[in-house]
Amino acid sequence: MKFRDILSHEGAKQRIRSFVDNDRIPHAILIDGQPGIGKFALARALAQYIHCENRQNGDSCGVCPSCIQHQTFNHIDTHFIFPIIKKSSGKSVVSDDYIDEWKDYLTQNPYMDFDKWLQALDNVNAQPQIFVDESVDIIRKLNFTAHKSKYKVVLLWLPERMKIECANKLLKLIEEPHSDTIFIMVSNNSKQILPTIYSRVQRIELLRLGDEIIANYLVEKYAIDSNDALSIAHLAEGNINNAEKELLSTKETSNFFSLFVELMRLAYQRKIYDLKRWSNDVASLGREQSIQFLDYCQRLIRENFVYNLNVKELNYLNTQEAQFSVNFARFITEKNVQKLIEVLNKAQIDISGNANAKIVFFDISVKVILLLKS
């Protein structure tokens, strides 16, 4: 992984480059921020830059033996620690026991989607942790001198998932580190890290990715329409993983759009019998999808209200939604927008509480008839 392969974060890149270039690397670094912004990719790039034998223009060369070993996750002086689950045998388990799954995961998920790590562990309901056996294993490894490089590097993903016993054992090593050892930790929630460890790290906070950056990433990687990409980026809230999930759920979103359009048209035409049939159709989605559909409806109501301001930069509609809004937006006004949102939000609460979905959705349709005419 090279710095240039990572989206944005130019200030952070420059800061950690200077650590290496001036040979003043902190013995423990914490890269912190929300998920899906490239934190672990930056940690990998830093480790590769430290070990690179021919740095060029503020980046690793990518072709020396050390860089090639980093790209295949086989550098002898780089050690990985990450959350795992105990195997059914009950025997002690460490990260190396899952190293093949880990390498496949890193190759396919540079933005570290935690849900996909659960899938790689073949247990989506698991609560992976870093167990005390891990600290014993890494202490043993670090007692040996570096083999090929000046520094041994430990890349620790999600230190907040360390068991207390594990964190306490590593604390002494972080307080009194070997001169040739560097810990690079990557956290999604630094508030949950043991305070005694948190106080001993050099913290680098990464900001969320901008919508334009994510949109350009989606356009380049998936060749989608730029307006659709910007709409997805806005919903992703700075998280690449969320953006890709949203893109993959396009079929579901398209179905939600069709149901929303049908509701508004039937309500405007006051077709009560058809609205009853619509209510049954939506209720058949099941509770979770019904809740997601109501979320979608609220978003589209808000976007159509904003559409009336005629400020394109404020709207995050995909192509299909934008075409519909040309004629529909005028029906969402100051008089009804808040009441529509309240109706949809209350319905969401009712369905979450196991209310009869058919009745809830028919109630929505009747209220929408009245509010569209207000």
Side-chain angles (χ1 to χ4, degrees):
M1 180 66 69
K2 301 176 71 171
F3 290 129
R4 71 181 185 190
D5 298 326
I6 301 167
L7 296 176
S8 192
H9 307 310
E10 297 307 320
K13 291 176 188 176
Q14 184 55 42
R15 183 180 174 191
I16 61 179
R17 275 193 206 102
S18 67
F19 291 157
V20 183
D21 294 342
N22 297 315
D23 198 19
R24 299 184 64 181
I25 311 171
H27 68 274
I29 298 170
L30 174 67
I31 302 177
D32 188 19
Q34 72 173 56
I37 59 175
K39 301 188 302 294
F40 199 77
L42 186 61
R44 287 172 52 198
L46 172 55
Q48 183 169 319
Y49 190 61
I50 290 170
H51 289 149
C52 178
E53 300 165 24
N54 185 28
R55 299 175 200 138
Q56 299 174 351
N57 302 317
D59 213 339
S60 50
C61 69
V63 295
C64 70
S66 288
C67 285
I68 292 172
Q69 288 164 12
H70 267 282
Q71 290 158 19
T72 56
F73 316 111
N74 288 310
H75 194 279
I76 195 168
D77 291 320
T78 302
H79 307 283
F80 293 102
I81 298 177
F82 44 88
I84 54 176
I85 57 176
K86 288 197 171 182
K87 297 185 177 181
S88 56
S89 63
K91 294 180 180 178
S92 63
V93 62
V94 295
S95 297
D96 282 352
D97 294 321
Y98 286 92
I99 198 65
D100 291 336
E101 293 90 339
W102 176 248
K103 290 178 180 179
D104 288 343
Y105 171 73
L106 287 181
T107 301
Q108 298 171 31
N109 300 280
Y111 288 91
M112 310 301 284
D113 185 336
F114 187 74
D115 290 340
K116 291 185 178 177
W117 178 233
L118 295 179
Q119 293 173 18
L121 293 173
D122 199 25
N123 191 338
V124 295
N125 296 314
Q127 291 294 324
Q129 293 180 305
I130 301 171
F131 299 98
V132 66
D133 296 319
E134 196 75 62
S135 59
V136 175
D137 187 59
I138 197 65
I139 289 170
R140 177 186 60 79
K141 290 176 180 176
L142 296 180
N143 280 333
F144 295 99
T145 57
H147 293 271
K148 288 190 59 181
S149 310
K150 182 178 179 179
Y151 294 106
K152 295 168 289 189
V153 175
V154 179
L155 291 173
L156 197 164
W157 186 47
L158 305 184
E160 61 267 30
R161 287 185 170 266
M162 280 194 289
K163 300 283 283 185
I164 294 294
E165 302 87 346
C166 176
N168 285 331
K169 278 185 174 292
L170 285 182
L171 177 59
K172 184 172 178 57
L173 189 58
I174 293 172
E175 285 179 321
E176 301 173 12
H178 301 306
S179 60
D180 64 348
T181 299
I182 298 166
F183 279 86
I184 306 175
M185 307 180 195
V186 174
S187 173
N188 288 342
N189 189 350
S190 60
K191 293 179 181 178
Q192 294 180 359
I193 298 174
L194 191 71
T196 48
I197 287 182
Y198 184 78
S199 64
R200 288 164 173 78
V201 299
Q202 179 77 49
R203 184 168 174 243
I204 298 173
E205 183 175 7
L206 301 190
L207 301 178
R208 60 158 281 176
L209 296 173
D211 291 350
E212 290 284 351
I213 292 171
I214 293 181
N216 291 336
Y217 169 85
L218 294 175
V219 169
E220 290 179 14
K221 184 173 180 179
Y222 297 101
I224 65 173
D225 179 82
S226 59
N227 289 332
D228 292 351
L230 191 58
S231 175
I232 290 171
H234 176 64
L235 296 174
E237 299 181 337
N239 186 324
I240 287 284
N241 297 325
N242 287 348
E244 293 187 318
K245 287 176 183 176
E246 188 68 30
L247 182 62
L248 292 173
S249 67
T250 301
K251 183 176 180 180
E252 180 181 275
T253 301
S254 180
N255 184 42
F256 287 169
F257 171 74
S258 298
L259 290 169
F260 178 85
V261 170
E262 188 177 13
L263 168 63
M264 295 304 160
R265 286 177 175 163
L266 292 175
Y268 180 75
Q269 297 167 5
R270 302 192 177 208
K271 293 188 175 181
I272 302 297
Y273 179 81
D274 289 333
L275 283 169
K276 186 175 180 181
R277 186 260 313 153
W278 175 89
S279 302
N280 293 340
D281 290 345
V282 182
S284 69
L285 293 174
R287 185 175 65 177
E288 291 306 316
Q289 279 211 309
S290 293
I291 292 170
Q292 292 173 27
F293 170 63
L294 290 167
D295 252 341
Y296 177 82
C297 291
Q298 291 174 68
R299 180 182 78 83
L300 224 53
I301 291 293
R302 286 191 293 266
E303 292 291 345
N304 274 269
F305 179 70
V306 173
Y307 188 93
N308 291 311
L309 301 177
N310 294 315
V311 182
K312 186 178 179 181
E313 293 77 15
L314 297 178
N315 261 127
Y316 297 95
L317 297 164
N318 64 34
T319 305
Q320 189 179 39
E321 292 165 348
Q323 289 172 349
F324 173 71
S325 298
V326 170
N327 295 316
F328 175 70
R330 68 179 186 271
F331 295 102
I332 307 302
T333 68
E334 293 179 358
K335 294 181 180 180
N336 64 13
V337 61
Q338 187 172 346
K339 291 178 181 177
L340 282 166
I341 294 294
E342 288 173 355
V343 166
L344 294 166
N345 186 54
K346 183 179 182 302
Q348 209 168 15
I349 294 170
D350 290 342
I351 289 178
S352 297
N354 288 321
N356 187 305
K358 293 180 182 179
I359 295 174
V360 171
F361 280 112
F362 187 65
D363 180 63
I364 289 173
S365 64
V366 172
K367 290 176 178 174
V368 170
I369 289 175
L370 300 174
L371 289 170
L372 286 182
K373 296 295 183 179
S374 62

